[in-house]
Amino acid sequence: MPSASTPAVELEVRGRTVRVSNPDRLYFAERGLTKLDVVEYFVAVGDGILGALLDRPTTLERWPRGWFADAKRATRADSSGDAFYQKRVPQGAPDYVETSRIGFPSGRTADEVAPTELAVVAWAANLGTLTFHPWPVVRDDVDRPDQLRIDLDPQPGTDFTDAARVAPHVRELLTEHGLTGFPKTSGGRGIHVFVPIEPRWTFTEARRATIAFGRELTRRLPEQVTVKWWKEERGSKIFVDYNQMARDRTIASAYSVRANARATVSAPLRWDEIADVAPDDFDVTTMPARFAEVGDLFAPLVAHREPRYSIESLLELADRQERDEGEGDLPYPPEYPKMPGEPKRVQPSKDADRPR
């Protein structure tokens, strides 16, 4: 095993010198990948990872000792984990690390890292950041999303291939509403589809549009898709996780590394290749060559790029669903305050007032 005293190395990252401490520390032992390998991976896909994070408040998922089989993330109830989510900018950050002040549903605020250059990504990777979780907003307007994010989340009994079968229907439905989506692997079993939108609507409105989208997809594919919030009601289907559009809920960025044995990455895809790939095809060792070949497939989602699309058609769909079908809001995550119009936030099997 390498010594903890392995000399640091310095990398030149687009005009900045970034120090990598303990460069030989194993971050993914089963693959023989070190901390330096991870930092150099992010530099190799630099335009992609920076484009995914540029000017966006970003939570850092830090694994200071790397990933290992029995590692666990810290939680609100237990802060003793091997990994943790860092929402506030770490102390001692270099002066080139810029921030953005964001507000949580609790009313608290935090100054989050908002990357403006690739050296920030390399610096964060040196701190053990494997996965970057950017907000769907830019720092000059943190209350109005410029991305709609559709999370196809396989439930027990389903996997990536099931999400892949749903993906063409997602594309078709987006097109019907004048929207263009860009798919990527989650790095695990799921598929994410990001849509660049005009920053005209609030998180509440963007979430409502996502619920409407998920409901229509469920109507078309009732045996394959669900928007049921409670796990006991979902069955073996693909869950459209509409709450990923709630304030302070984030999705792993494109090109982020995922904490698993293979060191997979969240890989942007072309629509026509989804049926022929698997999540394990894309990892820290293979992604740089793919990136060099196909470029940044998520470039249209970079902050301030055009075109941006309107979600008015989806909001009109939500109006029709509410008027004609009586389908209103759906539950928020448990840590959120009770929201106006939200139904009872009670697990159905424990709801004494629920019709039987």
Side-chain angles (χ1 to χ4, degrees), residues 142-159:
V142 297
D143 294 318
R144 297 184 183 277
D146 70 338
Q147 293 176 349
L148 201 69
R149 297 174 173 181
I150 300 167
D151 181 5
L152 302 180
D153 184 9
Q155 299 303 290
T158 63
D159 57 19

Side-chain angles (χ1 to χ4, degrees), residues 318-331:
D319 289 339
R320 292 195 298 273
Q321 291 171 344
E322 185 169 3
R323 181 184 65 244
D324 299 339
E325 307 295 334
E327 295 179 324
D329 203 357
L330 292 174

Side-chain angles (χ1 to χ4, degrees), residues 24-356:
D24 292 340
R25 175 175 290 166
L26 283 173
Y27 264 26
F28 295 93
E30 294 184 27
R31 303 295 308 277
L33 296 170
T34 66
K35 178 198 275 195
L36 182 60
D37 292 328
V38 171
V39 177
E40 290 182 333
Y41 157 76
F42 282 121
V43 174
V45 296
D47 287 340
I49 186 65
L50 180 59
L53 306 178
L54 184 66
D55 286 337
R56 300 189 184 280
T58 300
T59 298
L60 310 179
E61 184 182 330
R62 293 177 58 185
W63 294 78
R65 297 165 55 202
W67 182 88
F68 48 95
D70 57 349
K72 63 177 183 177
R73 294 179 181 86
T75 65
R76 287 183 175 85
D78 180 4
S79 61
S80 64
D82 303 288
F84 57 95
Y85 294 99
Q86 181 142 18
K87 294 187 176 183
R88 289 168 172 80
V89 62
Q91 292 185 348
D95 58 9
Y96 58 79
V97 177
E98 300 192 29
T99 62
S100 175
R101 178 157 296 179
I102 45 83
F104 303 120
S106 65
R108 295 178 297 110
T109 61
D111 293 326
E112 287 204 354
V113 174
T116 56
E117 56 182 288
L118 185 57
V120 176
V121 178
W123 161 80
N126 178 60
L127 297 180
T129 303
L130 298 181
T131 310
F132 294 85
H133 297 265
W135 285 49
V137 300
V138 293
R139 60 181 182 159
D140 56 1
D141 189 354
V142 297
D143 294 318
R144 297 184 183 277
D146 70 338
Q147 293 176 349
L148 201 69
R149 297 174 173 181
I150 300 167
D151 181 5
L152 302 180
D153 184 9
Q155 299 303 290
T158 63
D159 57 19
F160 180 85
T161 57
D162 296 287
R165 282 192 282 268
V166 171
H169 301 276
V170 171
R171 186 186 190 186
E172 179 182 22
L173 183 54
L174 286 173
T175 299
E176 289 176 17
H177 287 273
L179 302 168
T180 298
F182 298 85
K184 67 182 182 71
T185 67
S186 67
R189 300 185 308 142
I191 292 175
H192 301 152
V193 180
F194 284 18
V195 181
I197 64 173
E198 299 168 2
R200 294 168 44 196
W201 296 276
T202 64
F203 277 97
T204 301
E205 291 168 318
R207 176 180 173 276
R208 186 168 184 254
T210 307
I211 291 174
F213 183 93
R215 279 177 166 150
E216 177 59 20
L217 196 64
T218 299
R219 187 187 68 78
R220 299 182 184 194
L221 303 171
E223 301 303 316
Q224 297 174 258
V225 178
T226 182
V227 290
K228 297 289 188 182
W229 176 247
W230 302 104
K231 292 182 180 180
E232 65 187 35
E233 293 188 307
R234 293 178 190 170
S236 298
K237 298 180 181 181
I238 301 301
F239 171 50
V240 179
D241 189 353
Y242 59 87
N243 269 330
Q244 293 292 7
M245 280 309 304
R247 177 184 288 275
D248 191 33
R249 299 285 279 207
T250 56
I251 290 178
S253 77
Y255 308 103
S256 275
V257 182
R258 306 316 305 266
N260 58 42
R262 282 197 54 81
T264 58
V265 304
S266 183
L269 301 172
R270 301 184 183 97
W271 284 105
D272 61 6
E273 66 182 335
I274 292 176
D276 301 318
V277 301
D280 285 356
D281 294 340
F282 312 103
D283 62 33
V284 167
T285 66
T286 63
M287 194 64 193
R290 173 177 168 85
F291 186 81
E293 177 186 356
V294 305
D296 182 14
L297 299 180
F298 259 40
L301 290 148
V302 175
H304 312 298
R305 294 267 177 100
E306 297 292 341
R308 299 277 153 175
Y309 301 99
S310 171
I311 62 171
E312 286 181 353
S313 180
L314 286 179
L315 292 173
E316 291 169 358
L317 175 62
D319 289 339
R320 292 195 298 273
Q321 291 171 344
E322 185 169 3
R323 181 184 65 244
D324 299 339
E325 307 295 334
E327 295 179 324
D329 203 357
L330 292 174
Y332 275 78
E335 70 272 17
Y336 280 65
K338 183 70 174 179
M339 302 296 286
E342 181 188 2
K344 289 177 66 175
R345 202 181 295 175
V346 180
Q347 189 173 331
S349 61
K350 298 179 179 180
D351 184 359
D353 297 327
R354 185 180 177 89
R356 304 298 177 184

